[in-house]
Short mmCIF file of all heavy atoms in Angstrom, two decimals:
data_model
loop_
_atom_site.label_atom_id
_atom_site.label_comp_id
_atom_site.label_asym_id
_atom_site.label_seq_id
_atom_site.Cartn_x
_atom_site.Cartn_y
_atom_site.Cartn_z
N LEU T 998 74.34 -42.99 33.81
CA LEU T 998 75.34 -44.05 34.17
C LEU T 998 74.74 -45.07 35.06
O LEU T 998 73.77 -44.76 35.80
CB LEU T 998 76.56 -43.45 34.78
CG LEU T 998 77.34 -42.36 33.90
CD1 LEU T 998 78.46 -41.82 34.76
CD2 LEU T 998 77.83 -42.94 32.61
N SER T 999 75.24 -46.28 35.10
CA SER T 999 74.70 -47.31 35.97
C SER T 999 75.19 -47.09 37.36
O SER T 999 76.15 -46.41 37.58
CB SER T 999 75.16 -48.70 35.51
OG SER T 999 76.52 -48.90 35.75
N ALA T 1000 74.48 -47.76 38.35
CA ALA T 1000 74.83 -47.55 39.75
C ALA T 1000 76.29 -48.12 39.99
O ALA T 1000 77.08 -47.57 40.73
CB ALA T 1000 73.84 -48.28 40.67
N THR T 1001 76.60 -49.20 39.30
CA THR T 1001 77.93 -49.80 39.44
C THR T 1001 79.02 -48.95 38.89
O THR T 1001 80.06 -48.67 39.54
CB THR T 1001 78.01 -51.19 38.76
OG1 THR T 1001 77.01 -52.08 39.31
CG2 THR T 1001 79.39 -51.83 38.93
N THR T 1002 78.73 -48.33 37.72
CA THR T 1002 79.70 -47.36 37.09
C THR T 1002 79.89 -46.15 37.90
O THR T 1002 81.10 -45.74 38.20
CB THR T 1002 79.19 -47.01 35.69
OG1 THR T 1002 79.09 -48.13 34.88
CG2 THR T 1002 80.14 -45.99 35.06
N VAL T 1003 78.86 -45.66 38.50
CA VAL T 1003 78.97 -44.44 39.34
C VAL T 1003 79.76 -44.84 40.59
O VAL T 1003 80.62 -44.06 41.11
CB VAL T 1003 77.64 -43.83 39.73
CG1 VAL T 1003 77.80 -42.78 40.76
CG2 VAL T 1003 77.00 -43.28 38.40
N GLY T 1004 79.39 -46.04 41.21
CA GLY T 1004 80.18 -46.45 42.36
C GLY T 1004 81.67 -46.59 42.09
O GLY T 1004 82.52 -46.23 42.92
N ILE T 1005 82.00 -47.16 40.92
CA ILE T 1005 83.47 -47.26 40.55
C ILE T 1005 84.11 -45.86 40.39
O ILE T 1005 85.21 -45.64 40.87
CB ILE T 1005 83.58 -48.03 39.28
CG1 ILE T 1005 83.21 -49.53 39.46
CG2 ILE T 1005 85.03 -47.94 38.69
CD1 ILE T 1005 83.12 -50.35 38.22
N ALA T 1006 83.40 -44.88 39.80
CA ALA T 1006 83.91 -43.60 39.59
C ALA T 1006 84.12 -42.92 40.93
O ALA T 1006 85.15 -42.25 41.17
CB ALA T 1006 82.97 -42.77 38.68
N LEU T 1007 83.12 -43.00 41.80
CA LEU T 1007 83.26 -42.40 43.11
C LEU T 1007 84.36 -43.03 43.91
O LEU T 1007 85.16 -42.38 44.60
CB LEU T 1007 82.00 -42.47 43.88
CG LEU T 1007 80.71 -41.71 43.39
CD1 LEU T 1007 79.52 -42.00 44.18
CD2 LEU T 1007 81.02 -40.20 43.34
N GLY T 1008 84.50 -44.39 43.79
CA GLY T 1008 85.59 -45.06 44.45
C GLY T 1008 86.95 -44.73 43.88
O GLY T 1008 87.95 -44.81 44.60
N SER T 1009 87.03 -44.32 42.64
CA SER T 1009 88.28 -43.98 42.02
C SER T 1009 89.01 -42.85 42.74
O SER T 1009 90.28 -42.73 42.76
CB SER T 1009 88.15 -43.63 40.56
OG SER T 1009 87.46 -42.43 40.33
N GLY T 1010 88.21 -41.94 43.33
CA GLY T 1010 88.81 -40.83 44.07
C GLY T 1010 89.66 -41.34 45.25
O GLY T 1010 90.51 -40.59 45.65
N SER T 1011 89.32 -42.53 45.71
CA SER T 1011 90.13 -43.04 46.85
C SER T 1011 91.56 -43.44 46.37
O SER T 1011 92.42 -43.45 47.15
CB SER T 1011 89.40 -44.23 47.44
OG SER T 1011 88.17 -43.87 47.98
N LEU T 1012 91.68 -43.76 45.13
CA LEU T 1012 93.05 -44.15 44.57
C LEU T 1012 93.95 -42.88 44.66
O LEU T 1012 95.07 -42.97 45.23
CB LEU T 1012 92.90 -44.65 43.19
CG LEU T 1012 92.18 -45.93 42.94
CD1 LEU T 1012 92.08 -46.30 41.47
CD2 LEU T 1012 92.90 -47.09 43.67
N SER T 1013 93.48 -41.74 44.18
CA SER T 1013 94.28 -40.58 44.24
C SER T 1013 94.31 -40.07 45.69
O SER T 1013 95.28 -39.42 46.12
CB SER T 1013 93.70 -39.47 43.39
OG SER T 1013 92.37 -39.21 43.64
N GLY T 1014 93.24 -40.37 46.47
CA GLY T 1014 93.22 -40.09 47.87
C GLY T 1014 94.34 -40.72 48.65
O GLY T 1014 94.91 -40.11 49.59
N ILE T 1015 94.73 -41.92 48.25
CA ILE T 1015 95.83 -42.59 48.94
C ILE T 1015 97.11 -41.85 48.69
O ILE T 1015 97.92 -41.62 49.62
CB ILE T 1015 95.89 -44.09 48.41
CG1 ILE T 1015 94.68 -44.88 48.90
CG2 ILE T 1015 97.23 -44.74 48.84
CD1 ILE T 1015 94.62 -46.28 48.26
N VAL T 1016 97.31 -41.46 47.44
CA VAL T 1016 98.48 -40.66 47.09
C VAL T 1016 98.44 -39.36 47.86
O VAL T 1016 99.46 -38.87 48.45
CB VAL T 1016 98.58 -40.40 45.58
CG1 VAL T 1016 99.74 -39.46 45.23
CG2 VAL T 1016 98.68 -41.69 44.85
N GLY T 1017 97.30 -38.61 47.88
CA GLY T 1017 97.14 -37.39 48.58
C GLY T 1017 97.42 -37.47 50.05
O GLY T 1017 98.13 -36.57 50.63
N ARG T 1018 96.98 -38.56 50.69
CA ARG T 1018 97.21 -38.72 52.08
C ARG T 1018 98.67 -39.03 52.40
O ARG T 1018 99.17 -38.55 53.42
CB ARG T 1018 96.27 -39.84 52.63
CG ARG T 1018 94.78 -39.38 52.71
CD ARG T 1018 93.88 -40.55 52.88
NE ARG T 1018 92.54 -40.17 53.21
CZ ARG T 1018 91.63 -39.77 52.32
NH1 ARG T 1018 91.99 -39.75 51.00
NH2 ARG T 1018 90.41 -39.41 52.69
N PHE T 1019 99.28 -39.77 51.55
CA PHE T 1019 100.73 -39.97 51.74
C PHE T 1019 101.50 -38.65 51.60
O PHE T 1019 102.32 -38.32 52.47
CB PHE T 1019 101.21 -40.96 50.62
CG PHE T 1019 102.73 -41.15 50.64
CD1 PHE T 1019 103.27 -42.09 51.50
CD2 PHE T 1019 103.55 -40.49 49.79
CE1 PHE T 1019 104.59 -42.31 51.54
CE2 PHE T 1019 104.97 -40.65 49.81
CZ PHE T 1019 105.47 -41.58 50.70
N LEU T 1020 101.18 -37.87 50.59
CA LEU T 1020 101.83 -36.58 50.45
C LEU T 1020 101.42 -35.62 51.56
O LEU T 1020 102.27 -34.90 52.08
CB LEU T 1020 101.47 -35.92 49.08
CG LEU T 1020 102.00 -36.69 47.82
CD1 LEU T 1020 101.44 -36.04 46.60
CD2 LEU T 1020 103.50 -36.76 47.83
N GLY T 1021 100.15 -35.63 51.96
CA GLY T 1021 99.66 -34.79 53.06
C GLY T 1021 100.39 -35.05 54.33
O GLY T 1021 100.74 -34.11 55.08
N GLY T 1022 100.63 -36.33 54.71
CA GLY T 1022 101.34 -36.63 55.93
C GLY T 1022 102.81 -36.21 55.82
O GLY T 1022 103.35 -35.62 56.74
N SER T 1023 103.42 -36.43 54.71
CA SER T 1023 104.88 -36.09 54.54
C SER T 1023 104.99 -34.60 54.48
O SER T 1023 105.91 -34.03 55.12
CB SER T 1023 105.40 -36.68 53.23
OG SER T 1023 105.35 -38.05 53.30
N PHE T 1024 104.12 -33.86 53.73
CA PHE T 1024 104.22 -32.39 53.68
C PHE T 1024 103.96 -31.80 55.06
O PHE T 1024 104.64 -30.81 55.47
CB PHE T 1024 103.16 -31.89 52.67
CG PHE T 1024 103.52 -32.13 51.23
CD1 PHE T 1024 102.66 -31.79 50.25
CD2 PHE T 1024 104.69 -32.78 50.86
CE1 PHE T 1024 102.91 -32.04 48.90
CE2 PHE T 1024 104.98 -33.06 49.52
CZ PHE T 1024 104.08 -32.65 48.55
N SER T 1025 102.99 -32.30 55.78
CA SER T 1025 102.64 -31.74 57.05
C SER T 1025 103.81 -31.83 58.09
O SER T 1025 103.99 -30.91 58.92
CB SER T 1025 101.42 -32.44 57.69
OG SER T 1025 100.26 -32.23 56.87
N ASP T 1026 104.55 -32.91 58.00
CA ASP T 1026 105.68 -33.05 59.01
C ASP T 1026 106.98 -32.52 58.38
O ASP T 1026 108.04 -32.64 59.06
CB ASP T 1026 105.87 -34.56 59.25
CG ASP T 1026 104.75 -35.07 60.22
OD1 ASP T 1026 104.10 -34.28 60.86
OD2 ASP T 1026 104.60 -36.33 60.27
N SER T 1027 106.94 -31.87 57.23
CA SER T 1027 108.16 -31.33 56.67
C SER T 1027 108.34 -29.88 57.04
O SER T 1027 107.44 -29.01 56.91
CB SER T 1027 108.04 -31.45 55.13
OG SER T 1027 109.08 -30.67 54.53
#
């Protein structure tokens, strides 16, 4: 894969990470 493609794929984890951190904060305080 190209460096740009790999960078996009690695960065995609941050999209679900945003959801995970939102849930992680809410779950932790629940």
